Amino acid sequence: MGHALTSEQAADRTLFLQLDEHDHEAGGSTLLGFWIYLMSDCLIFAVLFATYGVLGGNYAAGPGPKDLFDLSLVALNTTMLLLSSMTYGFAMLSSYRKKVAATQVWLLITGLFGLAFLSIELYEFAHMIHEGATPQRSAFLSAFFTLVGTHGLHVTFGIVWLVTLMFQIGRHGLTKANARRLACLSLFWHFLDVIWIGVFTFVYLMGMLR
Amino acid sequence: MSAHDHASDHEAGLVHGEEPHGTLKEYLTGFILSVILTAIPFYLLMGEVSWSKQTIALTIVVLAAVQMVVHMVYFLHMTPKSEDGWTLTSLVFTLILVVITLAGSLWVMYHMDTNMMPKHEVSQPR
């Protein structure tokens, strides 16, 4: 028969599609929409990575990556973010089993790992600025602080969202809306970890090779 | 054929309503793979490895790419079928833009830089 439709079948099909179009669950497209937001966020990071790639070698006779970066600190930071990704997964698993307290505890642990990551990053920034390696010092440092700072800002907002959800779940339980919010934050949190892979590879590790 | 289409559409509709679920095994597998894929590049730079810079750079870039895929599969639960394929479509579109942005910027700016470099003969007054 092939793919050609008779007019009767075409009419039948059209009717079916029209009926189906109206059968949308509330919030049913939220996850896809949020994914598309993340893709646009990915483009922001692509531009910041490109900027860093272009300017990353212009030290203006100032300090370079080898003078500034401490790889053991970066390794510790990466571990924090990786652990938080896994514990967020455990929070999701608890939420599927409708265990409110367990979900909250895993969210709390995830948040603490996130805070540890931010603290280490801020310590690194403070240390660099104290040594005179401020964003104004060179094009390399401007690009570095913008890229890594934007990632850190995302983690900060992720933690704010995470704490908000902990209270939401405590007050309203694991309702359908809250489960959807948890799934969105899950995408956000794991996405930030993917971006961090790019940061530690191209900024820190490649920086030490320059 | 038409009836079959209806059935598969309906099935897709049901899957569509369900969020992609991960399992404990998936999260643990993803975590262990990530730890390995992170540890190797850090060891290459922090340990005393006598590889050439080019080899190390190439290795860590490949490992980063693999780790990104691991995160996509085990943490973000991406499959070609999620959201009727729209997640993957938007991801591929974004990746094309990312590659154009990165490769284009680096390529153009590298050549600009080379061409704008003041040559000593030119800058010295005659």
Side-chain angles (χ1 to χ4, degrees):
Chain A
M1 187 183 107
H3 290 285
L5 293 169
T6 64
S7 59
E8 195 185 326
Q9 274 174 320
D12 181 35
R13 195 181 170 82
T14 313
L15 182 65
F16 164 69
L17 286 175
Q18 278 173 351
L19 284 175
D20 199 45
E21 274 310 305
H22 294 281
D23 190 27
H24 276 313
E25 199 188 341
S29 50
T30 307
L31 271 184
L32 179 59
F34 192 76
W35 177 258
I36 289 169
Y37 151 70
L38 285 182
M39 290 300 99
S40 71
D41 221 13
C42 189
L43 292 181
I44 293 180
F45 280 107
V47 172
L48 294 178
F49 270 109
T51 312
Y52 182 82
V54 169
L55 300 175
N58 301 356
Y59 309 134
K66 276 183 186 167
D67 311 314
L68 296 170
F69 297 161
D70 179 3
L71 277 192
S72 48
L73 213 58
V74 182
L76 186 66
N77 232 354
T78 308
T79 314
M80 291 301 134
L81 215 53
L82 255 180
L83 282 168
S84 82
S85 251
M86 188 178 62
T87 55
Y88 197 97
F90 293 163
M92 289 301 282
L93 294 175
S94 307
S95 80
Y96 298 149
R97 281 187 252 109
K98 302 287 172 206
K99 288 180 178 167
V100 173
T103 310
Q104 281 179 310
V105 169
W106 282 119
L107 282 180
L108 178 70
I109 295 171
T110 309
L112 289 176
F113 277 129
L115 269 184
F117 170 84
L118 272 183
S119 315
I120 296 168
E121 187 161 88
L122 286 176
Y123 166 78
E124 186 200 18
F125 282 6
H127 188 68
M128 284 171 72
I129 289 168
H130 182 72
E131 287 190 346
T134 60
Q136 298 97 311
R137 182 63 190 82
S138 64
F140 151 66
L141 284 166
S142 305
F144 168 82
F145 277 104
T146 313
L147 173 59
V148 183
T150 305
H151 179 270
L153 205 61
H154 275 75
V155 176
T156 312
F157 282 113
I159 292 173
V160 171
W161 188 0
L162 191 140
V163 172
T164 314
L165 264 184
M166 274 174 62
F167 282 102
Q168 283 270 324
I169 291 168
R171 178 164 291 186
H172 302 289
L174 286 160
T175 57
K176 212 164 189 184
N178 276 345
R180 194 168 64 230
R181 289 164 190 148
L182 267 179
C184 280
L185 181 56
S186 162
L187 290 180
F188 188 74
W189 199 261
H190 295 309
F191 167 78
L192 287 182
D193 208 0
V194 175
I195 297 292
W196 182 252
I197 300 171
V199 174
F200 80 69
T201 303
F202 289 103
V203 176
Y204 290 101
L205 296 180
M206 296 292 248
M208 299 306 267
L209 279 175
R210 270 178 196 272
Chain B
M1 178 194 150
S2 183
H4 172 74
D5 275 357
H6 282 208
S8 62
D9 276 2
H10 191 61
E11 243 172 65
L14 277 180
V15 175
H16 186 79
E18 291 266 306
E19 280 127 31
H21 276 201
T23 58
L24 181 64
K25 204 182 150 199
E26 268 192 310
Y27 282 116
L28 288 177
T29 315
F31 179 72
I32 291 166
L33 284 176
S34 304
V35 168
I36 296 168
L37 289 165
T38 308
I40 298 172
F42 273 97
Y43 171 74
L44 285 180
L45 279 148
M46 294 169 81
E48 301 299 317
V49 179
S50 57
W51 292 7
S52 72
K53 277 188 178 185
Q54 282 81 3
T55 320
I56 294 181
L58 192 70
T59 314
I60 62 177
V61 169
V62 170
L63 288 172
V66 175
Q67 198 183 344
M68 282 179 183
V69 175
V70 166
H71 278 240
M72 291 278 177
V73 173
Y74 291 100
F75 290 155
L76 287 160
H77 314 300
M78 281 204 64
T79 62
K81 281 181 187 161
S82 50
E83 302 277 2
D84 294 336
W86 286 110
T87 353
L88 194 66
T89 311
S90 50
L91 176 69
V92 169
F93 174 64
T94 310
L95 287 181
I96 292 170
L97 291 182
V98 168
V99 168
I100 293 173
T101 312
L102 284 172
S105 304
L106 292 174
W107 182 47
V108 170
M109 294 311 286
Y110 174 77
H111 285 280
M112 286 270 281
D113 210 28
T114 312
N115 293 333
M116 302 276 282
M117 273 298 191
K119 293 206 168 60
H120 285 292
E121 310 92 291
V122 179
S123 59
Q124 275 165 5
R126 288 179 188 179

